């Protein structure tokens, strides 16, 4: 654990939506250096598009764990590959959004032991604006945060998979000071608004994507244009062009759970750099 002055600091790496095999390859290529250079203690990746651009399979989940991802979050596409359903029940570190109704497979949050006596909680949530009418993500977060407090867990990270910028910002403000970070996913476009909110929560509207750069949010360009110009529901397919690896690094105080910094990055095959 890194010592910062008189307190310990936990370095958390949060990776943007992994899109298909090329997104996976970008993460595989950059992850070791990211983890080494920034002394990462916990790596979380959104994997809901890792299998051919839509969904997650047991193999793609295993591949992500194999290259150093500790927890996989998701979103509305987690149900696209039916083979993942048993894994959602069996593996506590593969998450579906917490606020799906009771009876859905899997779980929406997990604990991860960073070191002896120090545990983090990771929560996967899904927004409701322009998406499905799920249970209230605000109240769902409240319930888990209360459980974490009772257990003495102070490092709490939330992946909020949502369409609307306002909904993401509202949740972050609502939880400011009660969680370590709220990071948005889903749009596949990285925003430049990373910040520490007044009460100590790190926030960014969207992490972007770890996927093909020469594409339409990770999907094949010609297919995407055809959908928009003809209105025919042609199935999307993931692009196979060179990919970027995107996300943020958040430094969190172990004692309070407050974030000290958030750094955004978007890496291609060029030398590593952070904005």
């Amino acid at each position: 654990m890194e010592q910062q002055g008189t307190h310990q600091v936990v370095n958390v790496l949060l990776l943007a939506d992994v899109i298909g095999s090329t997104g996976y390859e970008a993460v595989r290529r950059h992850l070791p250096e990211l983890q080494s250079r920034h002394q990462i203690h916990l790596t979380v990746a959104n994997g809901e598009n890792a299998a051919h651009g839509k969904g997650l399979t047991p193999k793609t989940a295993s591949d992500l764990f194999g290259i150093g991802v500790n927890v996989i979050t998701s979103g509305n596409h987690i149900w696209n590959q039916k083979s993942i359903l048993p894994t959602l029940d069996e593996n506590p570190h593969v998450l579906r959004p917490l606020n799906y109704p009771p009876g859905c497979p899997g779980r929406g949050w997990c604990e991860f032991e960073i070191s002896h006596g120090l545990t983090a909680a990771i929560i996967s949530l899904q927004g409701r604006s322009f998406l499905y009418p799920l249970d209230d993500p605000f109240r769902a977060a409240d319930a888990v945060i209360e459980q974490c407090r009772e257990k003495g867990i102070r490092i709490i990270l939330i992946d909020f998979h949502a369409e609307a910028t306002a909904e993401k910002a509202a949740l972050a403000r609502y939880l400011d000071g009660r969680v370590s970070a709220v990071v948005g996913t889903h749009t596949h476009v990285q925003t430049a608004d990373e910040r520490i909110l007044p009460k100590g929560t790190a926030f960014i509207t969207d992490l972007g994507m770890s996927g093909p750069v020469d594409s339409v949010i990770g999907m094949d360009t010609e297919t995407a244009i055809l959908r928009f110009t003809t209105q025919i529901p042609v199935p999307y397919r993931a692009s196979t062009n060179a990919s970027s690896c995107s996300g943020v690094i958040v430094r969190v105080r172990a004692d309070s759970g407050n974030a000290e910094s958030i750094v955004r990055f978007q890496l291609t095959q060029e030398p590593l750099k952070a904005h």
Side-chain angles (χ1 to χ4, degrees):
M1 198 65 56
E2 184 178 350
Q3 196 77 21
Q4 182 76 16
T6 59
H7 60 270
Q8 292 180 323
V9 174
V10 174
N11 298 320
V12 180
L13 175 60
L14 296 146
L15 292 167
D17 300 48
V18 181
I19 312 296
S21 59
T22 55
Y24 165 79
E25 284 299 320
V27 172
R28 184 189 62 79
R29 183 171 63 247
H30 290 294
L31 187 54
E33 186 172 352
L34 278 168
Q35 291 175 325
S36 174
R37 175 179 294 186
H38 299 284
Q39 301 178 43
I40 298 299
H41 304 105
L42 169 59
T43 299
V44 180
N46 188 296
E48 70 145 15
N49 294 303
H52 314 296
K54 287 288 178 70
L56 182 71
T57 64
K59 182 183 186 305
T60 51
S62 178
D63 288 345
L64 288 170
F65 288 132
I67 60 173
V69 172
N70 301 123
V71 176
I72 299 173
T73 56
S74 64
N76 55 300
H77 290 309
I78 189 60
W79 315 109
N80 283 56
Q81 304 287 340
K82 301 306 179 186
S83 63
I84 198 62
L85 298 184
T87 303
L88 293 176
D89 284 327
E90 296 164 4
N91 192 323
H93 294 149
V94 179
L95 304 178
R96 49 86 168 161
L98 174 70
N99 53 319
Y100 271 86
C104 290
R107 57 190 61 76
W109 74 286
C110 70
E111 298 176 20
F112 183 84
E113 187 176 14
I114 295 171
S115 64
H116 181 68
L118 182 61
T119 298
I122 300 90
I123 305 173
S124 185
L125 286 171
Q126 186 171 312
R128 297 187 291 182
S129 297
F130 309 109
L131 286 170
Y132 313 135
L134 301 180
D135 296 342
D136 183 352
F138 291 74
R139 302 295 179 263
D142 282 340
V144 172
I145 291 167
E146 181 61 29
Q147 292 181 56
C148 290
R149 293 305 184 197
E150 291 174 357
K151 293 184 173 187
I153 299 173
R154 297 189 176 278
I155 300 173
I156 304 174
L157 310 163
I158 294 182
D159 174 349
F160 192 29
H161 198 78
E163 185 79 39
T165 297
E167 189 177 15
K168 295 178 185 180
L171 182 77
R173 295 285 179 173
Y174 178 73
L175 298 178
D176 186 19
R178 294 194 285 152
V179 302
S180 307
V182 175
V183 297
T185 57
H186 181 65
T187 70
H188 299 184
V189 178
Q190 189 180 73
T191 54
D193 62 339
E194 70 277 11
R195 68 191 70 182
I196 305 296
L197 297 179
K199 297 179 182 179
T201 294
F203 171 63
I204 185 171
T205 298
D206 204 283
L207 294 176
M209 70 173 179
S210 295
V213 176
D214 187 11
S215 67
V216 175
I217 61 170
M219 299 298 114
D220 174 71
T221 299
E222 291 184 4
T223 303
I225 292 173
L226 186 63
R227 285 174 63 103
F228 283 108
T229 56
T230 66
Q231 294 300 299
I232 297 173
V234 180
Y236 274 128
R237 64 175 185 267
S239 176
T240 56
N241 293 307
S243 291
S244 67
C245 174
S246 303
V248 295
I249 297 163
V250 180
R251 293 166 57 84
V252 182
R253 286 186 56 146
D255 56 357
S256 65
N258 289 340
E260 290 194 338
S261 66
I262 176 171
V263 177
R264 170 174 52 96
F265 64 86
Q266 190 173 80
L267 310 173
T268 62
Q269 295 184 20
E270 300 299 321
L272 290 173
K273 58 184 178 180
H275 294 282

